[in-house]
Amino acid sequence: MKVNLCCPDSRKSCAACCGLYNVSDGTRDALHEKLSRRTSLFQGTARSVEALIRFQSTIRAIEIDSPLDPSIYVCEFTGFVDKDRFTPGCLLHPTAAGNGGIDLRGLCHYGSMACTSFYCPAWEELWAEERGVVLGLLDDWHLYGLVINDLDFVKSLFALLRLRVGSPLSEPRVLAGPAAEVVMEMLAWKVSWPWKGDSLIRASRYYCKRAPCADESNVAAHISGILAALGSTFGIETPMDGAQEFVEDALDRFAGAYGK
Ligand code: SF4
Ligand code: SF4
């Protein structure tokens, strides 16, 4: 059975396709504050159609920010669904606190059917070792939600790691050994990329289908894929001088740590 990428464990989850990152300030602090405010307000909201519509209107009035991509809806009903506020998710879901098993998602912009049946391309495209390493290393919702569904970033990153060591990756060897630190550093480029400048954008790419790579062993194409993904995540418009060498350096350190 496939791992549930949307909510793999109690430490992290993804709500990218609910529009979480489709805002002008997608930094962790800003999103945490927004999700917490919605969650607290929702806790005091009756589960009646009138009250839930009032909740939605209140959130719309508070969050006047224009979406980065107007074609993707920023759902007002995304909040934290655990008491520790580690996992963003759907406040209207039947299993969410206070809903008594009733599915309220019909009230959202997309409607219940779309929310129930949507799976981003990562569900199909990520290999078991890729999923395993990402899930094993990441335990923060903000970074997890930026990484797990970005196929250009994840698939090219893992292709480069495999090419650099000349073999398929052993998930236990990556996770338990010194290579884990280097891979973690590379995954964290989605929030700490040195060329991001003062950008507050953390655009999600869950809807981007990865173009099939004509030659999976083409290192230059994979590095370009990673740089393009990071450029669009942060809205970078200037050339990223030295970025290719920066990626190569991390790959060298990975190979040294993993061992050939
Ligand atoms: S973007 Fe993908 S992994 Fe994230 S919540 Fe949506 S379907 Fe799940
Ligand atoms: S109602 Fe749909 S779009 Fe909104 S948070 Fe729930 S699953 Fe996401």
Side-chain angles (χ1 to χ4, degrees), residues 161-233:
L161 297 178
R162 285 189 291 270
L163 288 168
R164 196 53 67 112
V165 298
S167 67
L169 296 180
S170 154
E171 183 186 322
R173 190 165 154 190
V174 174
L175 292 179
E181 201 176 316
V182 187
V183 180
M184 182 64 212
E185 176 192 319
M186 297 172 92
L187 295 173
W189 287 342
K190 290 283 286 184
V191 291
S192 65
W193 184 236
W195 285 265
K196 72 181 169 56
D198 56 4
S199 170
L200 301 177
I201 294 172
R202 305 289 182 268
S204 175
R205 296 166 42 83
Y206 71 89
Y207 47 86
C208 297
K209 286 205 163 147
R210 184 172 176 253
C213 203
D215 175 6
E216 274 296 320
S217 65
N218 187 333
V219 170
H222 288 305
I223 292 183
S224 295
I226 288 178
L227 298 188
L230 290 166
S232 87
T233 298

Coordinates of all heavy atoms in Angstrom, one line a residue, residues 161-233:
L161 N 21.7 12.2 -7.2 CA 22.3 11.4 -6.2 C 22.7 10.0 -6.7 O 23.8 9.5 -6.4 CB 21.4 11.3 -4.9 CG 21.0 12.7 -4.2 CD1 20.1 12.4 -3.1 CD2 22.3 13.4 -3.7
R162 N 21.8 9.4 -7.4 CA 22.0 8.1 -7.9 C 23.2 8.1 -8.9 O 24.1 7.3 -8.9 CB 20.8 7.5 -8.6 CG 19.7 7.0 -7.6 CD 18.6 6.3 -8.4 NE 17.8 7.2 -9.2 CZ 16.7 7.8 -8.8 NH1 16.3 7.7 -7.6 NH2 16.0 8.6 -9.7
L163 N 23.2 9.1 -9.8 CA 24.2 9.2 -10.8 C 25.6 9.4 -10.1 O 26.6 8.8 -10.6 CB 23.9 10.3 -11.8 CG 22.8 10.1 -12.8 CD1 22.4 11.4 -13.5 CD2 23.2 9.0 -13.8
R164 N 25.6 10.2 -9.1 CA 26.9 10.5 -8.4 C 27.5 9.3 -7.8 O 28.7 9.1 -7.7 CB 26.7 11.7 -7.4 CG 27.9 12.3 -7.0 CD 28.8 12.8 -8.1 NE 28.2 13.9 -8.9 CZ 28.7 15.1 -9.0 NH1 29.7 15.4 -8.3 NH2 28.1 16.0 -9.8
V165 N 26.6 8.4 -7.2 CA 27.2 7.2 -6.6 C 27.2 6.0 -7.5 O 27.7 4.9 -7.2 CB 26.5 6.9 -5.2 CG1 26.7 8.0 -4.3 CG2 25.0 6.5 -5.5
G166 N 26.6 6.1 -8.7 CA 26.6 5.1 -9.7 C 25.8 3.9 -9.4 O 26.0 2.8 -9.9
S167 N 24.7 4.0 -8.5 CA 23.9 2.9 -8.2 C 22.6 3.4 -7.6 O 22.4 4.6 -7.3 CB 24.6 2.0 -7.2 OG 24.6 2.7 -5.9
P168 N 21.6 2.5 -7.6 CA 20.3 2.9 -6.8 C 20.7 3.2 -5.4 O 21.7 2.7 -4.9 CB 19.5 1.6 -6.9 CG 20.0 0.8 -8.0 CD 21.5 1.1 -8.1
L169 N 19.9 4.1 -4.8 CA 20.2 4.4 -3.4 C 19.6 3.4 -2.4 O 18.5 2.9 -2.6 CB 19.6 5.8 -3.1 CG 20.2 7.0 -3.8 CD1 19.5 8.3 -3.4 CD2 21.7 7.1 -3.7
S170 N 20.3 3.1 -1.4 CA 19.8 2.3 -0.3 C 19.2 3.3 0.7 O 19.9 4.1 1.3 CB 20.9 1.5 0.3 OG 20.5 1.2 1.7
E171 N 17.9 3.2 0.9 CA 17.2 4.1 1.8 C 17.8 4.0 3.3 O 18.1 5.0 3.8 CB 15.7 3.8 1.9 CG 14.9 4.7 2.7 CD 13.4 4.2 2.8 OE1 12.9 3.8 1.8 OE2 12.8 4.3 3.9
P172 N 18.0 2.8 3.8 CA 18.6 2.8 5.2 C 20.0 3.4 5.2 O 20.3 4.0 6.2 CB 18.6 1.3 5.5 CG 17.7 0.6 4.5 CD 17.6 1.5 3.3
R173 N 20.7 3.2 4.2 CA 22.1 3.7 4.2 C 22.1 5.2 4.1 O 22.9 5.9 4.7 CB 22.9 3.1 3.0 CG 24.3 3.4 3.0 CD 25.0 2.5 1.9 NE 26.2 3.0 1.4 CZ 26.9 2.5 0.4 NH1 26.4 1.5 -0.2 NH2 28.0 3.1 0.0
V174 N 21.1 5.8 3.4 CA 21.0 7.3 3.4 C 20.6 7.8 4.7 O 21.2 8.7 5.3 CB 20.1 7.7 2.3 CG1 19.8 9.3 2.4 CG2 20.5 7.4 0.9
L175 N 19.6 7.1 5.3 CA 18.9 7.7 6.5 C 19.8 7.5 7.7 O 19.8 8.3 8.6 CB 17.6 7.0 6.7 CG 16.5 7.4 5.7 CD1 15.2 6.7 6.0 CD2 16.3 8.9 5.7
A176 N 20.5 6.4 7.8 CA 21.3 6.1 9.0 C 22.7 6.6 9.0 O 23.4 6.6 10.0 CB 21.2 4.6 9.3
G177 N 23.2 7.0 7.8 CA 24.6 7.3 7.7 C 24.8 8.8 7.6 O 23.9 9.6 7.7
P178 N 26.1 9.2 7.4 CA 26.5 10.6 7.3 C 25.9 11.3 6.1 O 25.8 12.6 6.1 CB 28.0 10.6 7.3 CG 28.3 9.2 6.8 CD 27.2 8.3 7.3
A179 N 25.4 10.6 5.1 CA 24.9 11.2 3.9 C 23.5 11.9 4.3 O 23.1 12.8 3.5 CB 24.6 10.2 2.9
A180 N 22.9 11.5 5.3 CA 21.6 12.1 5.7 C 21.7 13.6 5.8 O 20.8 14.3 5.4 CB 21.0 11.4 7.0
E181 N 22.7 14.0 6.5 CA 22.9 15.4 6.7 C 23.0 16.2 5.4 O 22.4 17.3 5.3 CB 24.2 15.7 7.5 CG 24.2 17.0 8.3 CD 25.4 17.1 9.1 OE1 25.8 16.1 9.8 OE2 26.1 18.1 9.1
V182 N 23.7 15.7 4.4 CA 23.8 16.4 3.1 C 22.5 16.4 2.4 O 22.1 17.4 1.8 CB 24.9 15.7 2.3 CG1 25.2 16.6 1.0 CG2 26.2 15.5 3.0
V183 N 21.8 15.3 2.4 CA 20.5 15.2 1.7 C 19.5 16.2 2.4 O 18.8 16.9 1.7 CB 19.9 13.8 1.6 CG1 18.6 13.8 0.9 CG2 20.9 12.9 0.9
M184 N 19.5 16.2 3.7 CA 18.6 17.1 4.4 C 18.9 18.6 4.0 O 18.0 19.4 3.8 CB 18.9 16.9 5.9 CG 18.0 17.8 6.8 SD 16.3 17.4 6.6 CE 15.5 19.0 6.9
E185 N 20.2 18.9 3.9 CA 20.6 20.2 3.5 C 20.1 20.6 2.1 O 19.6 21.7 1.9 CB 22.2 20.3 3.5 CG 22.8 21.6 3.1 CD 24.3 21.4 2.9 OE1 25.0 20.7 3.7 OE2 24.8 21.9 1.9
M186 N 20.2 19.6 1.2 CA 19.7 19.8 -0.2 C 18.2 20.0 -0.2 O 17.6 20.8 -0.9 CB 20.1 18.7 -1.1 CG 21.7 18.6 -1.2 SD 22.2 17.1 -2.0 CE 22.3 17.7 -3.7
L187 N 17.4 19.1 0.6 CA 16.0 19.3 0.6 C 15.6 20.7 1.1 O 14.6 21.3 0.7 CB 15.4 18.2 1.4 CG 15.5 16.7 0.9 CD1 15.0 15.7 1.9 CD2 14.8 16.6 -0.5
A188 N 16.4 21.1 2.1 CA 16.1 22.4 2.8 C 16.4 23.6 1.9 O 16.0 24.7 2.2 CB 16.8 22.5 4.1
W189 N 16.9 23.4 0.7 CA 17.1 24.5 -0.3 C 15.7 25.1 -0.6 O 15.6 26.3 -0.9 CB 17.7 24.0 -1.6 CG 19.2 23.6 -1.4 CD1 20.0 24.1 -0.5 CD2 20.0 22.8 -2.4 NE1 21.3 23.5 -0.7 CE2 21.3 22.8 -1.9 CE3 19.7 22.2 -3.5 CZ2 22.3 22.1 -2.5 CZ3 20.7 21.5 -4.2 CH2 22.0 21.4 -3.7
K190 N 14.7 24.3 -0.4 CA 13.3 24.9 -0.7 C 12.9 26.0 0.2 O 11.9 26.6 0.0 CB 12.3 23.7 -0.7 CG 12.4 22.7 -1.8 CD 11.8 23.3 -3.1 CE 10.3 23.3 -3.1 NZ 9.8 23.7 -4.4
V191 N 13.6 26.1 1.3 CA 13.4 27.3 2.2 C 14.6 28.2 2.4 O 14.5 29.3 2.8 CB 12.8 26.9 3.6 CG1 11.4 26.4 3.4 CG2 13.6 25.9 4.3
S192 N 15.8 27.6 2.1 CA 17.0 28.3 2.5 C 17.9 28.6 1.3 O 19.1 28.9 1.5 CB 17.8 27.5 3.6 OG 18.2 26.3 3.0
W193 N 17.4 28.5 0.1 CA 18.3 28.7 -1.1 C 19.0 30.0 -1.0 O 18.4 31.1 -0.8 CB 17.3 28.6 -2.3 CG 18.0 28.6 -3.6 CD1 17.7 29.5 -4.6 CD2 19.0 27.7 -4.2 NE1 18.5 29.2 -5.7 CE2 19.3 28.1 -5.5 CE3 19.7 26.6 -3.6 CZ2 20.2 27.5 -6.3 CZ3 20.6 26.0 -4.4 CH2 20.8 26.4 -5.7
P194 N 20.3 30.0 -1.2 CA 21.1 31.2 -1.0 C 20.8 32.3 -2.0 O 21.0 33.5 -1.7 CB 22.6 30.7 -1.2 CG 22.6 29.3 -0.9 CD 21.2 28.8 -1.3
W195 N 20.1 32.0 -3.1 CA 19.8 33.0 -4.1 C 18.4 33.6 -3.9 O 17.9 34.3 -4.7 CB 20.0 32.5 -5.5 CG 21.4 32.3 -5.9 CD1 22.2 33.2 -6.6 CD2 22.3 31.3 -5.5 NE1 23.5 32.8 -6.7 CE2 23.6 31.6 -6.1 CE3 22.2 30.1 -4.8 CZ2 24.7 30.7 -5.9 CZ3 23.3 29.2 -4.7 CH2 24.5 29.6 -5.2
K196 N 17.7 33.2 -2.8 CA 16.3 33.7 -2.6 C 16.2 35.2 -2.3 O 15.2 35.8 -2.4 CB 15.6 32.9 -1.6 CG 16.1 33.1 -0.1 CD 15.3 32.2 0.8 CE 15.8 32.2 2.2 NZ 15.9 33.5 2.9
G197 N 17.4 35.8 -1.8 CA 17.3 37.2 -1.4 C 16.3 37.4 -0.4 O 16.2 36.6 0.6
D198 N 15.5 38.5 -0.5 CA 14.5 38.8 0.6 C 13.1 38.4 0.1 O 12.1 38.8 0.7 CB 14.6 40.3 0.9 CG 14.3 41.2 -0.3 OD1 14.1 40.6 -1.4 OD2 14.4 42.4 -0.1
S199 N 13.1 37.5 -0.8 CA 11.7 37.0 -1.3 C 11.0 36.3 -0.2 O 11.5 35.5 0.6 CB 11.9 36.0 -2.5 OG 10.7 35.4 -2.8
L200 N 9.7 36.6 -0.1 CA 8.8 36.0 0.9 C 8.0 34.9 0.2 O 7.2 34.2 0.8 CB 7.9 37.0 1.5 CG 8.5 38.2 2.2 CD1 7.5 39.1 2.8 CD2 9.4 37.7 3.4
I201 N 8.2 34.8 -1.1 CA 7.4 33.8 -1.9 C 7.9 32.4 -1.6 O 9.1 32.2 -1.6 CB 7.5 34.1 -3.4 CG1 6.8 35.4 -3.7 CG2 6.8 33.0 -4.2 CD1 7.0 35.9 -5.1
R202 N 7.0 31.4 -1.4 CA 7.4 30.0 -1.3 C 6.4 29.3 -2.2 O 5.5 28.5 -1.6 CB 7.3 29.5 0.1 CG 8.2 30.3 1.1 CD 9.7 30.1 0.9 NE 10.5 30.8 1.9 CZ 11.0 32.1 1.7 NH1 10.7 32.7 0.6 NH2 11.7 32.7 2.6
A203 N 6.4 29.5 -3.4 CA 5.3 29.0 -4.3 C 5.4 27.5 -4.4 O 6.4 26.9 -4.5 CB 5.5 29.6 -5.7
S204 N 4.2 26.9 -4.3 CA 4.1 25.4 -4.4 C 4.1 25.1 -5.9 O 3.6 25.8 -6.8 CB 2.8 25.0 -3.8 OG 2.7 23.6 -4.0
R205 N 4.5 23.8 -6.2 CA 4.5 23.4 -7.6 C 3.8 22.0 -7.7 O 4.2 21.2 -8.6 CB 6.0 23.3 -8.1 CG 6.6 24.6 -8.1 CD 8.2 24.5 -8.2 NE 8.6 23.5 -9.2 CZ 8.7 23.7 -10.5 NH1 8.4 24.9 -11.0 NH2 9.0 22.7 -11.3
Y206 N 2.8 21.8 -6.9 CA 2.1 20.5 -6.9 C 1.4 20.2 -8.2 O 1.2 19.0 -8.5 CB 1.1 20.4 -5.7 CG -0.1 21.3 -5.9 CD1 -1.2 20.7 -6.6 CD2 -0.2 22.6 -5.5 CE1 -2.4 21.5 -6.8 CE2 -1.3 23.4 -5.7 CZ -2.4 22.8 -6.4 OH -3.5 23.6 -6.6
Y207 N 1.1 21.2 -8.9 CA 0.3 21.0 -10.2 C 1.2 20.8 -11.4 O 0.8 20.6 -12.5 CB -0.6 22.2 -10.4 CG 0.1 23.5 -10.3 CD1 0.7 24.1 -11.3 CD2 0.0 24.1 -9.0 CE1 1.4 25.3 -11.1 CE2 0.7 25.3 -8.8 CZ 1.4 25.9 -9.9 OH 2.0 27.1 -9.7
C208 N 2.6 20.9 -11.2 CA 3.5 20.8 -12.3 C 3.8 19.3 -12.6 O 4.3 18.6 -11.7 CB 4.8 21.5 -12.0 SG 4.7 23.3 -11.8
K209 N 3.4 18.9 -13.7 CA 3.7 17.5 -14.1 C 5.2 17.6 -14.7 O 5.5 18.5 -15.4 CB 2.8 17.0 -15.3 CG 1.5 16.7 -14.7 CD 0.8 15.7 -15.6 CE -0.4 15.1 -14.8 NZ -1.5 14.7 -15.5
R210 N 6.0 16.6 -14.3 CA 7.4 16.6 -14.7 C 7.5 16.2 -16.2 O 6.9 15.2 -16.6 CB 8.2 15.7 -13.8 CG 9.6 15.7 -14.1 CD 10.3 14.9 -13.1 NE 11.7 14.8 -13.4 CZ 12.3 13.6 -13.8 NH1 11.6 12.6 -14.0 NH2 13.6 13.6 -14.0
A211 N 8.2 17.0 -17.0 CA 8.4 16.6 -18.4 C 9.3 15.4 -18.4 O 10.3 15.4 -17.7 CB 9.1 17.8 -19.1
P212 N 8.9 14.3 -19.1 CA 9.8 13.2 -19.2 C 11.2 13.5 -19.6 O 11.4 14.3 -20.6 CB 9.1 12.2 -20.2 CG 7.8 12.9 -20.5 CD 7.8 14.3 -20.0
C213 N 12.2 13.1 -18.9 CA 13.6 13.4 -19.2 C 14.0 12.4 -20.3 O 14.0 11.2 -20.1 CB 14.4 13.2 -18.0 SG 15.9 14.1 -18.0
A214 N 14.4 12.9 -21.5 CA 14.8 12.0 -22.6 C 16.0 11.2 -22.2 O 16.1 10.0 -22.6 CB 15.2 12.9 -23.8
D215 N 16.9 11.7 -21.4 CA 18.1 10.9 -20.9 C 18.2 11.1 -19.4 O 18.7 12.1 -19.0 CB 19.3 11.5 -21.7 CG 20.6 10.8 -21.2 OD1 20.5 9.8 -20.4 OD2 21.6 11.2 -21.7
E216 N 17.8 10.1 -18.7 CA 17.9 10.2 -17.2 C 19.3 10.4 -16.7 O 19.5 10.7 -15.6 CB 17.3 8.9 -16.6 CG 15.7 9.0 -16.5 CD 15.2 10.1 -15.5 OE1 15.9 10.3 -14.4 OE2 14.2 10.7 -15.8
S217 N 20.3 10.1 -17.5 CA 21.7 10.2 -17.1 C 22.3 11.6 -17.4 O 23.5 11.8 -17.3 CB 22.6 9.1 -17.7 OG 22.6 9.3 -19.1
N218 N 21.4 12.5 -17.9 CA 21.9 13.8 -18.3 C 22.0 14.8 -17.0 O 21.0 15.3 -16.6 CB 20.9 14.4 -19.3 CG 21.4 15.7 -19.9 OD1 22.2 16.4 -19.2 ND2 21.0 16.0 -21.1
V219 N 23.2 14.8 -16.5 CA 23.4 15.6 -15.3 C 23.0 17.1 -15.4 O 22.4 17.7 -14.6 CB 24.9 15.5 -14.8 CG1 25.2 16.4 -13.7 CG2 25.2 14.0 -14.4
A220 N 23.4 17.7 -16.6 CA 23.1 19.1 -16.8 C 21.6 19.3 -16.8 O 21.1 20.3 -16.2 CB 23.8 19.5 -18.1
A221 N 20.9 18.4 -17.4 CA 19.4 18.6 -17.4 C 18.8 18.5 -16.0 O 17.9 19.3 -15.7 CB 18.8 17.5 -18.3
H222 N 19.3 17.6 -15.2 CA 18.8 17.5 -13.8 C 19.2 18.8 -13.0 O 18.3 19.2 -12.2 CB 19.3 16.3 -13.2 CG 18.7 15.0 -13.7 ND1 17.3 14.8 -13.8 CD2 19.3 13.9 -14.3 CE1 17.1 13.6 -14.3 NE2 18.3 13.1 -14.6
I223 N 20.4 19.2 -13.2 CA 20.7 20.5 -12.4 C 19.9 21.6 -12.9 O 19.4 22.4 -12.1 CB 22.3 20.8 -12.6 CG1 23.1 19.7 -11.9 CG2 22.6 22.1 -12.0 CD1 24.6 19.9 -11.8
S224 N 19.6 21.7 -14.2 CA 18.8 22.8 -14.7 C 17.4 22.6 -14.1 O 16.7 23.6 -13.8 CB 18.6 22.7 -16.2 OG 19.8 23.0 -16.8
G225 N 16.9 21.4 -14.0 CA 15.6 21.2 -13.4 C 15.5 21.6 -12.0 O 14.5 22.3 -11.6
I226 N 16.5 21.4 -11.2 CA 16.5 21.8 -9.8 C 16.5 23.3 -9.7 O 15.8 23.9 -9.0 CB 17.7 21.2 -9.1 CG1 17.5 19.7 -8.9 CG2 18.0 21.9 -7.8 CD1 18.7 19.0 -8.2
L227 N 17.4 23.9 -10.6 CA 17.5 25.4 -10.5 C 16.2 26.1 -10.9 O 15.8 27.1 -10.4 CB 18.7 25.9 -11.3 CG 20.1 25.4 -10.9 CD1 21.2 26.1 -11.7 CD2 20.3 25.6 -9.4
A228 N 15.6 25.5 -12.0 CA 14.3 26.1 -12.4 C 13.2 25.9 -11.3 O 12.4 26.9 -11.1 CB 13.8 25.4 -13.7
A229 N 13.2 24.8 -10.7 CA 12.2 24.6 -9.6 C 12.5 25.6 -8.4 O 11.5 26.2 -7.9 CB 12.3 23.2 -9.1
L230 N 13.7 25.8 -8.1 CA 14.0 26.7 -7.0 C 13.7 28.1 -7.4 O 13.2 29.0 -6.6 CB 15.4 26.5 -6.5 CG 15.7 25.2 -5.8 CD1 17.2 24.9 -5.6 CD2 15.0 25.2 -4.4
G231 N 14.0 28.4 -8.6 CA 13.8 29.8 -9.1 C 12.3 30.1 -9.1 O 11.9 31.2 -8.6
S232 N 11.4 29.1 -9.5 CA 10.0 29.4 -9.4 C 9.5 29.4 -8.0 O 8.5 30.1 -7.7 CB 9.3 28.5 -10.4 OG 8.9 27.3 -9.8
T233 N 10.0 28.6 -7.1 CA 9.6 28.6 -5.7 C 9.7 29.9 -5.1 O 8.8 30.4 -4.4 CB 10.4 27.5 -4.9 OG1 10.2 26.2 -5.5 CG2 10.0 27.5 -3.5

